[in-house]
């Protein structure tokens, strides 16, 4: 019984906040006569080690999760041979990839080709450093956490460009070209979408954003449903996941940027893609779904467990869209960013700015403003989407989706039908 | 100032995930736009037409399986019809109905495959193709039940079919066409037909005008998508197709989307035909006995069937010997592919892949 009480009363073994473990470590090192700077360096290294081990475990687990979930969606079993439920399959995959010869095209010399897969893995790991896992459980409590995340998530795209450019393959170059075009377009809705959160929380610190949600008893997704949708779609474009996986577009440009990669270099791309997906899920869970805070639930369940649950919830949606949707064409994808997401995000920022201003100026109670903002922003989200669909959606309804029918045996040939607007004028988007 | 660059030449195929075999397109590309396409075929040439001159008429039936291996029954049927026409062999009523049932089941299987592969070309991550495979497997199970083979069935014979259907066939068929497949087609409608991304990708892509379609001698869903109601089962009925009630679905715009919905609708019409054929299935022999080494009188015959890909014609010349003097196949895949250049120029690479997928070529039949 005392054990149980100890577990929830804030001793260093309290499972709710693993950061308590650092206190005995700090005391031990101080007794050994280590200076404060030395303690800082040692604890930073240990924290980094923890994040990297988490990332490694996540990459291994996610290979299984992704293959298994998509397998079920495709009415097949997925990995099921190795270990219980095929859980050891990713390890076998990794062993196979490590044994394979790493082929490098003779026409692709240079260090860029080698560095690209390594550079691709860095942002996903580095992003997880600023994610708050509990009330005191942050490795790097940066005041510019959101800016840091935005910068790093663009870096992943840069390494994709490095890979595609240095492979000396036309398909890879297409992938690289597409990635740059996409990056330029999608950074704007991403940043403009997240601006609303910063306006609400008044800080770019992720911990502050979580605390804002806790203080006002509302997930950010309720206050900012439109920003959530914009961010979710834009980031899935930056992550190269369907419906926006135009950079690797298997059916068109074979593998895009990683066509020429083999062995563990390809394995790094594959693993880093999953790590990036988890990092992005962590961002979404923290910014929009309350992070480690979940109403009263985080007093009974450790916050970091709740956060991992939320991360996998978001990750499941990523896998779901990947298993369901076809791909956009590049011009449609860019048109979607410029004509739909960017204006929507800007309108959202203006509305949020007005709301925050009124909130601060009127000085009325939060119990009035939070429900009011939820109502206004949900209406804005639905209204804007309906408006855009009505006004700007590509018009495919010139022709019905059902074919015509010609019954009867005496109809060998019917007069050809020429629709009014027959000529193809550019892209339909 | 617009930047002008020299067009880049890209080899799409012969080793490419979306060329449905070993077909090769050499595309000249300016940015993402295709300036010119050169089509190169022949990577799967197996010299079947020449080989057939060395084999007896019956021995040639397996070749027709291996031409369009996704529609083996239709190939069997077309070839057997032409030899029967040449030799004047009568086919029993029951064999005719069995042929219709199996040819229509084969159409369902082939169109399933075509639809799934087409959505895959649009960029879906294998899910539609797996769903379509699931339904195709159900049809192939019935083939296996009847003739022991799933893909290269070798089921039709000159003068009938090789085996009569087993006892458990009709209940299984009833479950398939009245329960499983209609449900599957409803799923397709929900997942594919109303999908906005598919509309964006496939509407106005790979447009064939009616004039081009007729001039290029197109057939099958490609021709019908252009708004021309031409189906050999109606226009030149063979094998008793004039006894069944069914409709020809016809498109509006001649684009890839029309072809896809036409295929889905044709599968439903096939089920309609099968239901009528099962209801009227007569008793009797399933085969006319013919000599093992059939020697048709000297002469020539051409017969054509509506295979899932289009008009599949067999031209057989006999000099009175046991083997054909000349055997020519009018392969719909090859002739339908001839408009690919007109369809793709000015489009992007992504569109070209979608266009190729919507034509539904089969390289085994293309190169023979």
């Amino acid at each position: 019984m005392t054990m149980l009480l100890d577990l929830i009363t804030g001793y260093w073994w309290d499972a709710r906040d693993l950061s308590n473990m650092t206190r005995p470590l700090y005391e031990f090192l101080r007794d050994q006569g280590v200076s404060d700077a030395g303690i800082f360096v040692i604890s930073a290294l240990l924290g980094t080690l923890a994040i990297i081990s988490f990332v490694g475990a996540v990459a291994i687990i996610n290979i299984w999760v992704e293959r298994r979930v998509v397998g079920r969606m495709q009415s097949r079993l997925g990995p099921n041979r190795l270990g219980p439920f095929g859980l050891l399959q990713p390890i076998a995959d990794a062993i196979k990839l490590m044994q394979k010869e790493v082929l490098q095209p003779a026409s692709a010399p240079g260090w860029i080709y080698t560095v690209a897969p390594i550079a691709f893995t860095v942002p996903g790991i580095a992003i997880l450093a600023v994610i708050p896992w509990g009330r005191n459980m942050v490795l790097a409590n940066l005041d510019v956490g959101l800016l840091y995340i935005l910068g790093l998530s663009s870096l992943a795209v840069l390494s994709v460009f490095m890979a595609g450019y240095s492979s000396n393959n036309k398909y890879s170059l297409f992938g690289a070209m597409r990635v740059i075009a996409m990056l330029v377009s999608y950074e704007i809705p991403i940043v403009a979408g997240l601006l609303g959160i910063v306006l609400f929380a008044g800080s770019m610190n992720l911990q502050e954003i979580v605390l804002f949600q806790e203080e006002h008893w509302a997930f950010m997704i309720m206050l900012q449903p439109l920003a959530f949708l914009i961010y979710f779609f834009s980031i899935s474009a930056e992550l190269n996941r369907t419906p926006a996986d135009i950079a690797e577009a298997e059916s068109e440009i074979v593998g895009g940027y990683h066509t020429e990669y083999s062995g563990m270099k390809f394995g790094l791309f594959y693993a880093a893609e999953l790590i990036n997906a988890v990092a992005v899920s962590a961002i979404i869970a923290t910014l929009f779904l309350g992070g480690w805070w979940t109403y009263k639930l985080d007093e009974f369940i450790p916050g970091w467990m709740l956060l991992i649950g939320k991360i996998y919830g978001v990750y499941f949606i990523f896998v779901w869209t990947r298993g369901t949707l076809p791909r956009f064409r590049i011009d449609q994808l860019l048109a979607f960013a410029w004509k739909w997401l960017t204006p929507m995000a800007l309108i959202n920022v203006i509305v949020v700015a007005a709301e925050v201003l009124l909130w601060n100026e009127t000085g009325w109670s939060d119990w009035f403003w939070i429900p009011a903002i939820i109502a206004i922003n949900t209406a804005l989200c639905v209204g804007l989407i309906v408006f855009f669909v009505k006004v700007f959606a590509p018009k495919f309804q010139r022709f019905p989706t059902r074919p015509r029918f010609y019954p009867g045996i005496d109809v060998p040939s019917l007069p050809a039908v020429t629709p009014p607007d027959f000529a193809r004028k550019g892209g339909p988007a | 100032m617009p930047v002008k660059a020299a067009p880049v030449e890209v080899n799409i195929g012969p080793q490419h995930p979306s060329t449905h075999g070993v077909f090769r397109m050499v595309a000249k590309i300016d940015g993402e736009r295709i300036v010119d396409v050169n089509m190169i075929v022949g990577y799967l040439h197996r010299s079947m037409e020449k080989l057939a001159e060395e084999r007896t008429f019956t021995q040639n039936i397996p070749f027709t399986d291996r031409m369009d291996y996704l529609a083996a029954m239709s190939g069997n049927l077309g070839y057997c019809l032409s030899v029967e026409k040449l030799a004047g062999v009568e086919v029993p009523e029951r064999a005719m109905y069995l042929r219709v049932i199996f040819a229509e089941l084969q159409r369902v299987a082939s169109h399933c495959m075509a639809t799934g592969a087409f959505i895959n070309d649009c960029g879906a991550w294998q899910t539609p193709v797996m769903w379509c495979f699931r339904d195709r497997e159900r049809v192939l199970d019935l083939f296996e039940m009847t003739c022991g083979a799933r893909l290269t069935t070798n089921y039709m014979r000159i003068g009938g079919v090789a085996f009569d259907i087993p006892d458990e066939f009709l209940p299984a068929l009833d479950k398939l066409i009245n329960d499983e497949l209609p449900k599957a087609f409803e799923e397709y409608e929900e997942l594919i037909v109303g999908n906005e991304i598919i509309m964006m990708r496939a509407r106005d892509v790979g447009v064939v005008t009616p004039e081009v379609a007729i001039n290029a001698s197109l057939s099958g869903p490609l021709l019908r998508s252009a708004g021309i109601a031409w189906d050999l089962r109606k226009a030149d009925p063979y094998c008793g197709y004039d006894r069944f009630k069914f409709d020809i679905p016809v498109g509006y715009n001649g684009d890839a989307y029309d072809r896809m919905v036409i295929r889905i609708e044709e599968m439903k019409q096939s089920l309609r035909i099968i239901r009528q054929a099962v209801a009227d299935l007569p008793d009797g022999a399933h085969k006319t006995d013919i000599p093992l080494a059939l020697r048709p009188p000297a002469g020539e015959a051409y017969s054509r069937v509506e295979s899932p890909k289009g008009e599949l014609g067999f031209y057989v010349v006999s000099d009175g010997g046991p083997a054909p003097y000349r055997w020519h196949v009018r392969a719909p895949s090859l002739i339908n592919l001839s408009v690919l250049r007109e369809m793709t120029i000015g489009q992007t690479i992504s569109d070209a892949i979608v266009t190729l997928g919507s034509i539904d070529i089969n390289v085994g039949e293309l190169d023979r």
Side-chain angles (χ1 to χ4, degrees):
Chain A
M1 196 60 209
T2 45
M3 270 292 286
L4 272 177
L5 277 177
D6 287 347
L7 267 175
I8 53 169
T9 45
Y11 285 94
W12 66 269
W13 54 79
D14 182 354
R16 287 179 303 173
D17 204 337
L18 298 181
S19 63
N20 292 335
M21 285 201 268
T22 53
R23 199 188 312 146
L25 180 77
Y26 173 73
E27 282 160 7
F28 170 76
L29 287 173
R30 199 185 48 195
D31 294 346
Q32 298 296 315
V34 183
S35 68
D36 274 2
I39 293 172
F40 179 78
V41 169
I42 291 171
S43 51
L45 283 176
L46 285 174
T48 314
L49 195 68
I51 293 283
I52 289 178
S53 345
F54 173 74
V55 163
V58 153
I60 291 282
I61 294 166
N62 279 16
I63 293 174
W64 180 84
V65 169
E66 179 130 7
R67 290 178 60 177
R68 187 88 174 174
V69 171
V70 169
R72 289 298 154 120
M73 285 172 187
Q74 298 178 347
S75 71
R76 57 187 174 85
L77 291 175
N80 61 352
R81 295 284 100 184
L82 214 60
F85 310 109
L87 272 167
L88 297 180
Q89 185 66 39
I91 295 168
D93 282 354
I95 292 172
K96 188 206 82 169
L97 278 175
M98 278 183 225
Q99 283 175 338
K100 283 184 86 164
E101 184 187 358
V102 179
L103 292 168
Q104 181 162 353
S107 52
W111 56 275
I112 299 181
Y113 181 84
T114 315
V115 165
I118 302 166
F120 193 48
T121 47
V122 171
I125 300 172
I127 281 172
L128 286 172
V130 293
I131 302 289
W133 297 89
R135 204 173 290 278
N136 301 310
M137 220 176 130
V138 200
L139 179 59
N141 198 6
L142 283 186
D143 280 340
V144 288
L146 209 55
L147 215 55
Y148 168 87
I149 282 174
L150 290 171
L152 275 173
S153 59
S154 318
L155 265 186
V157 174
L158 182 68
S159 53
V160 168
F161 178 71
M162 282 159 67
Y165 183 73
S166 65
S167 290
N168 196 14
N169 178 318
K170 284 166 190 166
Y171 291 126
S172 302
L173 194 62
F174 272 118
M177 275 162 48
R178 289 175 171 195
V179 153
I180 292 300
M182 201 159 71
L183 172 74
V184 171
S185 307
Y186 273 89
E187 278 299 295
I188 298 161
I190 286 178
V191 174
L194 293 185
L195 215 52
I197 294 174
V198 178
L199 283 174
F200 271 127
S203 170
M204 284 199 177
N205 188 323
L206 290 168
Q207 185 71 285
E208 296 284 326
I209 292 172
V210 174
L211 291 175
F212 172 86
Q213 301 180 49
E214 185 190 21
E215 187 192 336
H216 295 93
W217 203 252
F219 284 164
M220 199 59 94
I221 189 174
M222 304 174 192
L223 300 172
Q224 286 279 281
L226 189 62
F228 171 76
L229 293 177
I230 292 170
Y231 184 74
F232 190 87
F233 188 85
S234 309
I235 208 72
S236 70
E238 281 217 349
L239 278 177
N240 266 326
R241 296 181 81 88
T242 31
D245 61 336
I246 53 167
E248 48 181 89
E250 198 211 336
S251 63
E252 294 156 21
I253 51 173
V254 190
Y257 59 91
H258 61 58
T259 307
E260 291 288 356
Y261 282 88
S262 60
M264 207 51 212
K265 280 182 185 168
F266 169 73
L268 271 182
F269 272 120
Y270 190 83
E273 205 172 280
L274 300 173
I275 294 169
N276 286 346
V278 165
V280 163
S281 306
I283 297 169
I284 291 177
T286 304
L287 292 182
F288 290 101
L289 301 174
W292 49 265
W293 169 77
T294 315
Y295 294 96
K296 285 284 182 196
L297 213 58
D298 55 306
E299 290 183 9
F300 307 106
I301 303 170
W304 51 275
M305 283 192 189
L306 286 173
L307 182 57
I308 289 178
K310 287 174 188 176
I311 288 173
Y312 272 90
V314 177
Y315 180 68
F316 174 76
I317 302 178
F318 275 124
V319 177
W320 192 5
T321 51
R322 183 177 202 179
T324 317
L325 294 175
R327 186 188 306 123
F328 284 105
R329 209 168 55 208
I330 172 128
D331 56 326
Q332 294 165 344
L333 203 62
L334 300 189
F336 191 63
W338 289 108
K339 293 182 188 165
W340 291 58
L341 297 181
T342 308
M344 276 187 189
L346 292 176
I347 292 171
N348 186 49
V349 168
I350 293 166
V351 171
V352 170
E355 282 166 359
V356 171
L357 187 71
L358 287 174
W359 190 355
N360 290 340
E361 292 297 313
T362 53
W364 293 342
S365 152
D366 291 353
W367 296 111
F368 166 75
W369 273 112
I370 293 292
I373 289 173
I374 289 174
I376 292 170
N377 282 356
T378 311
L380 176 78
C381 174
V382 176
L384 261 189
I385 290 173
V386 169
F387 173 76
F388 270 71
V389 167
K390 286 259 192 271
V391 178
F392 298 118
K395 301 287 184 290
F396 294 114
Q397 304 309 324
R398 284 186 291 136
F399 306 108
T401 55
R402 304 212 155 259
R404 295 171 288 176
F405 290 105
Y406 285 109
I409 292 166
D410 302 330
V411 195
S413 174
L414 282 142
V417 181
T418 310
D421 181 19
F422 203 76
R424 179 185 152 80
K425 299 186 193 77
Chain B
M1 188 187 81
V3 180
K4 263 289 178 202
V8 180
E9 209 169 72
V10 178
N11 268 306
I12 302 175
Q15 302 291 331
H16 188 280
S18 296
T19 49
H20 300 259
V22 282
F23 166 67
R24 180 174 167 210
M25 282 197 280
V26 183
K28 280 209 179 79
I29 290 167
D30 181 15
E32 288 260 345
R33 295 265 161 206
I34 290 184
V35 182
D36 193 10
V37 170
N38 188 14
M39 293 173 286
I40 297 164
V41 298
Y43 287 92
L44 204 62
H45 183 64
R46 288 163 293 174
S47 190
M48 281 181 178
E49 292 180 3
K50 188 68 188 166
L51 280 172
E53 293 171 12
E54 306 295 323
R55 282 159 171 74
T56 66
F57 283 95
T58 309
Q59 279 174 342
N60 283 338
I61 297 174
F63 281 143
T64 60
D65 295 332
R66 283 151 183 81
M67 278 194 297
D68 187 354
Y69 43 80
L70 295 176
M73 291 285 185
S74 308
N76 287 177
L77 178 61
Y79 174 66
C80 291
L81 284 178
S82 70
V83 179
E84 282 155 12
K85 197 170 174 184
L86 186 65
V89 179
E90 282 292 317
V91 180
E93 281 280 300
R94 186 176 174 80
M96 266 170 57
Y97 276 77
L98 288 180
R99 282 176 171 189
V100 168
I101 290 172
F102 279 101
E104 293 305 319
L105 281 176
Q106 185 71 75
R107 189 183 312 280
V108 172
S110 175
H111 279 347
C112 271
M113 183 68 216
T115 311
F118 170 71
I119 310 296
N120 228 27
D121 289 344
C122 287
W125 204 54
Q126 307 287 347
T127 305
V129 81
M130 279 296 173
W131 286 28
C132 293
F133 261 149
R134 175 197 64 197
D135 304 321
R136 180 172 169 263
E137 290 295 310
R138 290 170 175 163
V139 174
L140 297 192
D141 284 344
L142 290 185
F143 289 178
E144 189 183 11
M145 190 187 286
T146 309
C147 63
R150 297 168 71 83
L151 196 67
T152 52
T153 51
N154 190 16
Y155 178 59
M156 315 266 176
R157 289 286 181 277
I158 296 160
V161 293
F163 314 102
D164 207 342
I165 47 176
D167 293 338
E168 66 268 26
F169 179 83
L170 284 178
L173 180 68
D174 182 62
K175 184 160 168 263
L176 180 76
I177 60 174
N178 290 323
D179 180 34
E180 291 175 347
L181 284 181
K183 272 185 196 160
F185 296 157
E186 269 173 34
E187 283 181 353
Y188 294 178
E189 296 264 334
E190 285 170 16
L191 183 77
I192 299 170
V193 174
N195 189 324
E196 274 86 3
I197 301 181
I198 303 241
M199 278 192 202
M200 286 173 82
R201 287 303 302 278
R203 266 282 182 231
D204 292 319
V205 166
V207 176
V208 183
T209 60
E211 298 77 34
V212 168
I214 289 173
N215 287 347
S217 173
L218 304 183
S219 53
L222 194 55
L223 176 68
R224 290 193 282 275
S225 75
I228 299 163
W230 175 261
D231 188 319
L232 288 174
R233 292 173 294 173
K234 292 264 191 213
D236 182 11
Y238 54 92
C239 212
Y241 267 109
D242 42 359
R243 303 176 194 180
F244 304 115
K245 282 199 183 72
F246 63 99
D247 301 327
I248 310 173
V250 174
Y252 294 84
N253 192 20
D255 54 25
Y257 186 83
D258 272 348
R259 295 196 265 284
M260 183 191 75
V261 291
I262 282 175
R263 288 204 179 93
I264 292 176
E265 198 56 50
E266 274 186 17
M267 290 196 268
K268 292 180 187 166
Q269 298 294 332
S270 289
L271 294 192
R272 238 177 109 188
I273 298 175
I274 296 171
R275 280 189 206 111
Q276 296 170 44
V278 170
D280 301 346
L281 187 63
D283 289 331
H286 64 277
K287 191 182 174 189
T288 315
D289 280 336
I290 55 155
L292 199 57
L294 179 72
R295 288 169 194 270
E300 58 181 36
Y302 178 77
S303 88
R304 49 188 185 171
V305 294
E306 183 72 26
S307 92
K309 313 260 185 309
E311 177 183 337
L312 176 63
F314 286 88
Y315 175 65
V316 185
V317 182
S318 167
D319 57 356
Y325 175 77
R326 175 80 173 92
W327 189 50
H328 175 72
V329 184
R330 183 222 186 265
S333 291
L334 177 67
I335 293 168
N336 286 351
L337 191 65
S338 61
V339 285
L340 182 66
R341 190 165 176 275
E342 280 80 17
M343 286 156 85
T344 48
I345 285 180
Q347 295 185 334
T348 63
I349 307 181
S350 318
D351 289 341
I353 299 292
V354 171
T355 307
L356 182 64
S358 75
I359 296 177
D360 185 22
I361 58 163
N362 184 311
V363 180
E365 186 184 53
L366 186 75
D367 291 336
R368 303 194 285 287

